Structure formats: structure tokens, C-alpha cells
Amino acid sequence: MISIETEQDLLCYHCGLACEKETQWLEEKPFCCSGCKTVFEILSANHLCEYYALDKTPGIFIDEESEQSFSYLDENAIRKKILSFDSSEFAKIIFYVPAIHCVSCIWLLENLNRLDAGILRSEVNFARKKVTLDFHPQKVKLSRVAALLTSVGYVPQIDLGENPSNENLVDKSLVSKLAIAGFCFGNIMLFSFPEYLGLDQTDQRLSHFFSWLNLILSWPVFFYSGFGYLQSAFKCFKHRQINIDVPIAAGLIALFLRSHYDIISATGPGYLDSFTGLVFFLLIGRWFQGKTYESLSFERDFKSYFPLAVNKFQDGDWKPVVIYELQRGDIIRIRNREIVPADSILKSDKGLIDYSFVTGESKPMKANLGDLIYAGGRVIGTPVTLVVDTKTSQSNLTSLWNSTAFRKREESHHQKIIDSVARKFTWVVMGIAMVTLMYWYWVSPTEMWLVFTSVLMVACPCALALAAPFTYGSMLRVFGRHQLYLKNADVIERMANIDAIVFDKTGTVTHNQQPDAQFTSDLDKQEIAWVKSLAICSTHPLSNLIAKSISGKIVDVDQYNELPGKGIMCVVDDHLIKIGSSNFVGAKPKSSPSHSFVFVSIDNEPRGFFSIALTVRENLKPMLDRLGSRCEAVLSGDNEKDLNKMKVLFGCHIRMLFNQSPLDKLEYIRNIQLNGKKVLMVGDGLNDAGALKQADVGIAVTDDTGVFTPACDGILQGSQLQLLDKLLSLAKSSSTILKASFALSFFYNAIALSFAVSGHLSPLVAAILMPISSISVVGFSSLAVRFVASRKLTVS
Amino acid sequence: MTIIILLILVSLTIAIVFLVIFLWAVRSGQYDDTYTPSVRILFEDKGKDGKDSKDSKDGKVNASINP
């Protein structure tokens, strides 16, 4: 009986998962893997076994593979960014640790000082899953602190983008404002009771007393709780502008002053209950909105990260692997103009690294054997071999991608439109409110101020400002799911306006999935190996193909040089080897309708050529037909041999330009832009990086070995190129959805306004309606994107 | 009837005191995390050596394997 039970329910002492394959035993306790066992060993060595007493199997399953190092945290720039306090003897950091889940977690994390004396104090915030750590920077490095957390299973999630301390402060002051507004609102209602029940006739003195109490209670509401609205409106006035807070502020001021006049002149009780209630509900609305958006937040999750690959040495060969599968100790090879994806140690004798993406310094740095190369550096010239030191993090690369160096000059367009619409709209609302005010002045002066305020409240166009970020945010996710990874939401807007599409040929329209390179030459085995060694250095699709098609032992090359659009050259064992176009190599040009030719020379003597049949990507024709006249041109760095093939594919109306250098491509794009066209450039991101940057939208198409080109706006998986037209139309429909959201919010405003103008809406109800309308607009835009995407993309 | 004025003033003062206490609690971060302190108070020791209560822990560990 007992034995059956143990067989069935052998649960890991640490993480509680069923022990399956490699059960390990230590001190008669079962562990599902050596990772869990290691944590137990660490804890028991430090007398921290109480961890296991507080909760059953509290541990986090340790995936040994996921080991990462945090050495980048010791960089001064990064330290500054994430530490909340730093001095020579005391530093404070708040880590977000998603793995926190039980009492034992709290206990262990708050006893971290027993694991390392450098940690002075640690405090867990369970609700936010955060750990605040005070440590002595002289005794323990920040990277060591992070590694310590990781070693016991609590991997900190480090986000260099946001500044966490800020949001908290805002939240707190909102709660205080809310509390004071609520307090005053409640008390004012209480003191208005005699008023409500019509008791004021009996004792004038008492009712005056209540009125004055109300007056005093309304001050903190006006000067503290509602001050944000006044301030924002005032700021706008100063800049001679008008924003959505202006009508709110106007309404508040109207009610407040009118009530003061009534009470001080003893002509009436005022509207202070409405006034305070209004502020209270406005603040509740704001708080509730904040909560809703938090849960809808479209923070880029891992799905929308772009896949990139590098060549990793595996089983005696170079194989492409996705960068986030890179482990510490992996040997990778980075070629000319490729970006180092992870902090690594140089294994080649020397290398030239361009850190301009990271530091802005454009002069390449020399690195020697054993030097640490930071992620984001770009290899120039001779390819280098590296040993990965730190697991890479996608967020690092994403932030690199969004760095200012690659930002397009054009600013976000929709923001301008929204601002101008909101401004006009506010004027209109103010106008309507004034007319209403005058009308009610004639009809019934007692209601005048309430109606005026209701009109101002209910017409607030704040939904306008919310619709755009939510529409584009969900769109970004949809694109990510279909393997188009966009840099940011502005790209979608630019994509919607595209009316000219320019394709690069090699690597984009054609690809090399089925390698088919015929080598005709008189080279011996040694020389073939040299050619392979050279070809492997380049990221050009043809070089990749050549490298795959021939075999030989790879040797190190010297003085590697790549001339875009021409070819590559290097020196091996004192022989100059060139691979490239006939011109470059000095060979007799050849031409064939179906093949590309790449020539090889050794010591400037033509020795042979590769003939490569490049296959056109599947299913491109229907996509190009659907795009129709929007296809503008095909640019190619090669010669005209593919002209006929391309004509069949693209039709005759399209311009075909061959023998284009990267600069020619850029110029061509600039020219059609001067003709007033919005250009989408689809390229491989290698010899057309300039064109990708120049184009309104530049999309790099990648296959298995993606090259990270920060100049582009989006990265598209090669197999998804056939969806290009659909993705474009999806981008277009996102602006339709945006317009529909605007229409919806106008519709709301129109209906509510008509009620308010006719005096059927009290300011209180208006204040409640306002956030509800905003939330429904946001909900509409998110759902509409999902709906449109599923209709447009799954039918195919 | 004048006594009601005094009563109202007193009640309002008390209410304001409570409001101030609430604001202080919010400001000092007492509402940031409503769960962890309730657990923390039950931990046996927060000393740095951690050896003194080791014996009792072993007993607990055994108990928790076969609950």
C-alpha cells in the first residue's frame, strides 16, 4: 500500500511537481531535478529549512536551462537606472519577482541576509510581488544580488524601461484626494438635510450655520481634490490652448462661485452638495479608469517579440538558433554587420566592434581575445567567434530598436488630429454651454447653474484621447501573432497610408530555402574550404547559400571586407580570395534566365563560379495581384537576368531596376517620396538598410537566420510575406476602427448633451456617465480589432 | 437648540481626526501591501544567526512531509 502511494505521489520536496524521470534523493527527500536539489542544498547549508516548514513544497521548479547571469547590472548606467538609492555604503533596489506565491517565499526572501552578509535588509510586498533589498554595494555586487535570487528560484524580472516609483506616488495622491472629496461630500449631504426636508423655515440661524459649514467643507475639495482639473485647465489657458479639462474646470468654478455668492448673500443654499459630489465621482471615475487600463494594458508580451537567430556551434556544425535559446557557454559566430545578441566573450584573436547603437560612439572599438563584448555591439569586417556569457534579454534589444537613432523624423500623426479635434470640440461644448446658460436664465434661473455644469461635464471628450492608444496597442499584438513584429504603434499609422510598395529582390522575393548552388570550378579541396570560410562571413543570402552548398574545414580569415552590391573578399594564408559579381572578381559575365551567378577568384585570377537557382517564395503571386498598382518597383543589386521571371510575377507595369547599389536604392525611395508617395520598402535589411530607413515604413523580411537591423520599422517572417497585403489592409482598418471609436464617443456625447441641455441630467449623473462612456469606447476598440483581425486573416 | 451646533462641531472634529489618520495611513504606505505583514508577524525570528530555532524547525519539516 505504502509503496504504491510513493510510486504514484512522489512529489518533489522542493517544488511539489511529480518526480518523473530522474528522481534525486538527498536526506531521504525526493527531488524532481538537480535544480530543485541544488536550491535545497543552498538553503539547508544556510539553516534556512524553515522555508519548507511554512508551506508544503513551496519551491519554484528550477529549470536548469534558464540559468542566466546579470553582469550587465554592474554597468554604471544601468545601475543608476534601476537602483532607487545608491551610495558607497548603502544601496536599495526593488526587484519584481513574479515567482512569489506563498508564505514560504516571503520568509525566505526576507531572510536573504543569511545567504549573503552583504544584504542588509529585505522586504517583500506580496500583493505587487516585489522585493525591496537594501545591500552594501562594497560587499556585494548588484549582479550577485540578482544571481542570489535566481539561485534560490526567484528570478527577478528586470525592466529597464519603466520607473516604478513614480506610479505609486500618483496612486497615493489620488487616494488622498478621493478620501477628502468623499469625506466632504458625505458631510455636506448630511448638513444639507434640513434643506432637503424643508426645515429651513423653522430656524434661520441653524440653516445659516449649516450653509457656512458646507462652504468651509467645500474649500478642501476645490483647492485640493479638484485642483488637478483647475491646474491643467489653467496651464492650457496660459499657452492659449484649450483641452478637455477646461469644460470640467469651468463647470467646477461656476458651481463653486455661484454657491459662495448664494450663501454669503444669504439668498440660497448653493449647490455645494452637487459640487463636491461631482469632484468625488470624477475622481472615482479616474481611479476606476486607471484600474481598467491596468488590466487591459498592452505591455508587449513575449508573443510580440521578434525572433532573431544567430549561428551557434552545435554538433560540429554551425546551426541557426533563436537568440533567446542561447545559453551561457554557447559558441556563436557573428558576421559582418550583425549585432551581438548577448554579452559574450571574444574567442577570436581580435575583432572590430561598433557600439554606436549602444553608446552613440561611431568609431569601432578593437577587442582582443578574452574581452567582454556587450550586447548591441555590431561586428565590423572579419567575423568573430564568441562565447555567450549572459543570456540575452529581448527587452534589451527592443529598447535598442526604439533608440532615438532610428526614429523617423515624422511624428505621430493621429495625436495631432486628436488634439486639434479635441480643441475644436471643447470650443463647441463651451459654446453650447453658454447658449444653454442664457436659455435657462430666461426660463428658470434657479436651475441655470446646474444645467450649465451638467452640459460641461457630460460633453467631455476624454474618450477621444483613449481610443487611439488602445486600438493601436491591440493591433500591435495581432501583428505579432502573425509574425510581423513592429517597432511601435506609430508604424501602424504609417502603414495605413502606404500607396507605393518597393520590393528588394534577393532574399525578399526570392529565397534560398531549397539550396541549389552548382559549383563549376577547378579548385582543390583546400581552396574550396577557403571559399566556404569566406562565404560564411557574410550575411548576404547568396553567401549563405554558397556556404551551405560546399563543404570543408572552416579556417580563420583576415582583412575581411564586404562591398555591398559587389562582393566579399578576404585573405587566407596569404591568398586573396574574392567572391562576388563578375565585375568585382574580374571574370567574364554570364547570363541565364533562371540562374544567378557568383564568381570566385583567388589571387585575382577567376577560378570558377556558382550558378544558383533562386526560387521565388510560394504564394507571392496572389498577394502581388491583390496589391495591384500599389506595387511600385523591384530593386535588385544583381543584374537583369531575372527580369523575365520578375515580369511574370509582378506584371509589366512595375518598374524593375537592377544593378542597384544600396545608395541607389535609398535615392530611388527618396525620389518617389518627393512625388508625394508614402513608400513601404520590403527588403532583407542587409544591403538595403538605408532604403529601409528612408522609406516611410521599412520592413525587413527574415528567414531562419534573422539579422537584427535596427533601421527597419518591422520584421516579417519570410513565410508570412504572402500575407503582406492583408496586414496592410488590417493596418488600414485600424484607422477605420479608430474613426468608429470616435464616432461612438461623439454619439454618446450628442445624446448625453441633449439630455443635459434640456435639464434632465443632474451634474452628478453626468459625472458618473463620463467614465462609463470612456471605458465602453476603449472596450469597443479592443474588441473591434480582434474581430477584424480574425475575419481578415483566418479566411485565407 | 444651540446645543446641536456644538454637537455638530464636535462630531465634525472627530470625523476630521479620523480622516487625517486615514490619510496618514495611506501616505505612510500601510495600504500598499495588506497581506505580507500579516504573515511576517508569525515568523519566529528575524535574527541574523538563524541557528537558535533550528531544532524546532527540523521537527516541523518532518511534520510537513507527511501531513
Side-chain angles (χ1 to χ4, degrees):
Chain A
M1 184 68 192
I2 292 164
S3 66
I4 291 167
E5 208 178 304
T6 41
E7 247 171 55
Q8 282 178 342
D9 303 31
L10 196 55
L11 298 182
C12 175
Y13 183 61
H14 176 71
C15 69
L17 292 179
C19 298
E20 280 163 353
K21 281 173 258 164
E22 29 167 325
T23 309
Q24 306 206 10
W25 293 85
L26 189 80
E27 297 179 20
E28 296 171 5
K29 290 160 188 135
F31 294 95
C32 68
C33 61
S34 57
C36 289
K37 200 180 87 181
T38 315
V39 177
F40 175 78
E41 278 168 355
I42 294 174
L43 295 183
S44 68
N46 288 286
H47 311 292
L48 286 168
C49 281
E50 193 181 335
Y51 181 57
Y52 297 99
L54 293 164
D55 215 331
K56 255 192 298 165
T57 59
I60 291 100
F61 175 69
I62 299 280
D63 188 1
E64 280 175 284
E65 313 278 300
S66 72
E67 201 175 295
Q68 50 177 314
S69 111
F70 295 94
S71 53
Y72 68 96
L73 288 179
D74 292 330
E75 281 300 296
N76 254 335
I78 291 173
R79 272 178 68 100
K80 236 180 239 164
K81 214 164 179 182
I82 58 174
L83 284 180
S84 13
F85 182 81
D86 193 10
S87 75
S88 62
E89 284 172 0
F90 180 81
K92 193 188 191 89
I93 185 164
I94 300 171
F95 278 127
Y96 174 58
V97 183
I100 295 176
H101 68 284
C102 69
V103 176
S104 290
C105 304
I106 301 173
W107 184 84
L108 179 62
L109 289 173
E110 298 206 335
N111 283 288
L112 273 182
N113 51 2
R114 292 203 217 160
L115 284 176
D116 192 309
I119 294 174
L120 305 170
R121 201 179 68 95
S122 48
E123 195 177 299
V124 175
N125 182 332
F126 189 81
R128 287 173 193 267
K129 298 195 188 298
K130 283 186 171 153
V131 191
T132 311
L133 288 162
D134 300 346
F135 62 97
H136 197 301
Q138 306 283 323
K139 287 186 191 159
V140 58
K141 277 190 189 163
L142 182 55
S143 57
R144 161 83 186 129
V145 174
L148 185 71
L149 282 174
T150 310
S151 74
V152 288
Y154 296 93
V155 186
Q157 220 172 64
I158 294 157
D159 185 0
L160 299 174
E162 59 160 336
N163 197 344
S165 53
N166 245 346
E167 72 187 83
N168 222 339
L169 274 177
V170 174
D171 203 19
K172 266 183 198 167
S173 86
L174 185 59
V175 170
S176 309
K177 283 179 178 175
L178 198 55
I180 288 176
F183 174 83
C184 297
F185 176 44
N187 279 293
I188 288 176
M189 286 223 292
L190 203 64
F191 300 144
S192 301
F193 250 74
E195 181 81 28
Y196 295 154
L197 302 174
L199 301 176
D200 48 345
Q201 273 81 18
T202 54
D203 192 338
Q204 273 298 326
R205 209 164 52 109
L206 207 59
S207 83
H208 269 161
F209 172 69
F210 283 136
S211 294
W212 276 93
L213 265 185
N214 285 350
L215 201 63
I216 294 165
L217 279 173
S218 73
W219 291 343
V221 177
F222 186 79
F223 290 108
Y224 179 65
S225 300
F227 201 64
Y229 294 102
L230 304 178
Q231 221 172 9
S232 142
F234 181 69
K235 250 186 218 159
C236 268
F237 253 37
K238 240 164 122 183
H239 295 105
R240 288 159 199 261
Q241 279 173 341
I242 192 160
N243 72 352
I244 53 177
D245 282 341
V246 171
I248 297 178
L252 292 182
I253 294 173
L255 274 183
F256 186 70
L257 292 183
R258 174 70 204 188
S259 307
H260 272 64
Y261 172 75
D262 276 359
I263 291 169
I264 293 169
S265 66
T267 47
Y271 312 96
L272 289 174
D273 50 345
S274 295
F275 166 72
T276 44
L278 195 57
V279 175
F280 181 61
F281 283 113
L282 282 174
L283 289 173
I284 284 199
R286 192 177 261 196
W287 182 73
F288 186 63
Q289 266 178 11
K291 289 274 165 211
T292 318
Y293 303 150
E294 224 168 76
S295 63
L296 276 173
S297 121
F298 40 80
E299 193 73 39
R300 286 185 167 198
D301 53 11
F302 66 97
K303 273 186 215 141
S304 56
Y305 283 145
F306 42 93
L308 295 166
V310 288
N311 282 317
K312 179 184 150 187
F313 192 73
Q314 210 173 16
D315 309 325
D317 201 6
W318 295 97
K319 281 185 187 145
V321 294
V322 183
I323 56 168
Y324 38 84
E325 282 171 11
L326 281 182
Q327 303 300 331
R328 196 185 164 144
D330 281 355
I331 296 169
I332 54 172
R333 189 183 182 86
I334 306 292
R335 298 170 295 183
N336 182 24
R337 306 196 74 74
E338 276 188 336
I339 291 198
V340 179
D343 292 354
S344 328
I345 290 161
L346 193 63
K347 216 174 151 252
S348 314
D349 285 337
K350 50 181 182 249
L352 215 52
I353 313 290
D354 169 15
Y355 278 120
S356 57
F357 295 150
V358 188
T359 59
E361 168 65 56
S362 59
K363 210 171 148 220
M365 256 180 50
K366 279 197 186 110
N368 294 318
L369 179 73
D371 282 359
L372 185 65
I373 312 280
Y374 294 104
R378 182 148 84 163
V379 173
I380 304 285
T382 318
V384 295
T385 313
L386 301 160
V387 183
V388 176
D389 185 52
T390 309
K391 232 179 102 79
T392 190
S393 110
Q394 279 277 12
S395 56
N396 274 349
L397 284 177
T398 312
S399 64
L400 186 65
W401 202 10
N402 274 311
S403 81
T404 43
F406 305 107
R407 200 151 293 159
K408 305 258 160 153
R409 296 153 303 281
E410 204 175 322
E411 278 304 301
S412 168
H413 204 57
H414 69 252
Q415 200 50 49
K416 278 185 207 153
I417 295 174
I418 290 166
D419 285 349
S420 80
V421 168
R423 212 170 297 141
K424 277 180 202 148
F425 192 70
T426 314
W427 281 118
V428 172
V429 169
M430 298 290 276
I432 293 175
M434 283 299 164
V435 173
T436 319
L437 189 68
M438 297 220 251
Y439 171 78
W440 282 92
Y441 180 71
W442 292 113
V443 177
S444 136
T446 45
E447 306 252 335
M448 172 170 91
W449 293 107
L450 282 181
V451 174
F452 176 67
T453 318
S454 316
V455 170
L456 290 175
M457 288 303 126
V458 88
C460 162
C462 40
L464 281 181
L466 297 169
F470 277 86
T471 310
Y472 286 131
S474 7
M475 204 47 114
L476 216 56
R477 269 192 168 171
V478 170
F479 282 137
R481 231 174 283 143
H482 290 89
Q483 296 175 306
L484 170 62
Y485 306 94
L486 294 180
K487 188 153 91 171
N488 53 39
D490 290 349
V491 180
I492 300 177
E493 196 190 326
R494 280 186 263 133
M495 260 173 85
N497 298 322
I498 291 298
D499 48 14
I501 302 167
V502 177
F503 290 92
D504 176 51
K505 187 176 68 76
T506 316
T508 309
V509 177
T510 57
H511 70 147
N512 48 5
Q513 283 305 80
Q514 290 99 32
D516 184 18
Q518 297 292 324
F519 192 26
T520 323
S521 76
D522 54 353
L523 298 177
D524 60 27
K525 225 175 169 186
Q526 174 70 48
E527 286 167 328
I528 289 179
W530 291 346
V531 172
K532 183 176 166 105
S533 307
L534 171 58
I536 214 166
C537 296
S538 166
T539 47
H540 193 276
L542 290 181
S543 307
N544 283 342
L545 199 56
I546 289 171
K548 262 189 217 164
S549 69
I550 50 178
S551 57
K553 193 172 172 287
I554 294 165
V555 291
D556 284 339
V557 301
D558 274 332
Q559 295 171 29
Y560 174 80
N561 198 358
E562 185 161 353
L563 303 165
K566 289 182 181 156
I568 49 179
M569 55 198 277
C570 74
V571 176
V572 182
D573 288 349
D574 295 330
H575 294 287
L576 177 68
I577 303 184
K578 283 183 174 180
I579 307 178
S581 63
S582 54
N583 236 327
F584 175 68
V585 171
K588 241 186 268 158
K590 265 182 176 302
S591 72
S592 144
S594 58
H595 286 73
S596 277
F597 293 98
V598 176
F599 297 87
V600 177
S601 78
I602 292 179
D603 294 329
N604 282 324
E605 191 185 319
R607 297 291 291 275
F609 60 87
F610 291 90
S611 69
I612 295 160
L614 279 174
T615 44
V616 173
R617 274 182 209 281
E618 283 169 30
N619 299 330
L620 274 194
K621 181 80 181 145
M623 184 273 281
L624 292 168
D625 286 346
R626 285 191 300 259
L627 282 176
S629 61
R630 274 183 289 168
C631 283
E632 180 78 19
V634 175
L635 306 178
S636 174
D638 303 337
N639 52 27
E640 283 113 9
K641 62 194 185 305
D642 277 344
L643 184 64
N644 288 330
K645 210 183 200 176
M646 290 293 124
K647 277 225 165 112
V648 172
L649 189 64
F650 283 90
C652 289
H653 64 276
I654 191 168
R655 285 190 71 179
M656 312 261 175
L657 296 169
F658 293 93
N659 298 319
Q660 298 279 300
S661 74
L663 201 66
D664 292 338
K665 293 181 186 174
L666 197 158
E667 283 299 321
Y668 182 78
I669 302 270
R670 188 174 288 157
N671 275 337
I672 42 180
Q673 277 179 330
L674 286 179
N675 291 337
K677 294 213 167 178
K678 300 279 180 202
V679 187
L680 167 68
M681 172 82 201
V682 186
D684 58 5
L686 300 172
N687 47 20
D688 47 16
L692 288 181
K693 199 183 170 199
Q694 174 65 35
D696 294 277
V697 178
I699 291 181
V701 176
T702 68
D703 285 309
D704 48 355
T705 51
V707 180
F708 181 58
T709 49
C712 66
D713 298 298
I715 298 177
L716 180 66
Q717 193 71 27
S719 57
Q720 302 287 325
L721 188 62
Q722 43 162 317
L723 284 180
L724 186 68
D725 64 312
K726 289 183 177 155
L727 294 172
L728 279 177
S729 85
L730 200 58
K732 208 161 240 164
S733 55
S734 65
S735 47
T736 317
I737 291 170
L738 197 58
K739 277 174 199 149
S741 317
F742 284 174
L744 188 69
S745 118
F746 274 119
F747 174 72
Y748 265 129
N749 279 321
I751 295 207
L753 209 57
S754 62
F755 272 100
V757 169
S758 57
H760 291 293
L761 200 65
S762 81
L764 275 189
V765 179
I768 296 169
L769 277 183
M770 224 177 57
I772 292 179
S773 80
S774 322
I775 288 168
S776 67
V777 166
V778 165
F780 165 78
S781 64
S782 306
L783 286 179
V785 166
R786 230 168 267 185
F787 175 71
V788 170
S790 69
R791 264 195 49 192
K792 286 214 166 154
L793 291 170
T794 48
V795 175
S796 56
Chain B
M1 211 45 182
T2 36
I3 192 68
I4 201 164
I5 292 178
L6 188 68
L7 282 176
I8 281 172
L9 284 179
V10 168
S11 78
L12 196 60
T13 316
I14 293 172
I16 286 172
V17 167
F18 277 103
L19 177 69
V20 169
I21 292 174
F22 172 73
L23 291 179
W24 168 77
V26 170
R27 289 287 156 112
S28 64
Q30 293 184 30
Y31 288 93
D32 286 0
D33 183 8
T34 48
Y35 179 76
T36 326
S38 72
V39 176
R40 194 178 293 138
I41 199 169
L42 297 174
F43 293 151
E44 273 187 33
D45 70 315
K46 289 201 74 182
K48 276 178 187 161
D49 50 337
K51 280 181 186 175
D52 48 354
S53 51
K54 199 202 159 205
D55 298 342
S56 65
K57 267 168 220 155
D58 277 348
K60 273 188 198 165
V61 170
N62 290 335
S64 70
I65 297 170
N66 303 311

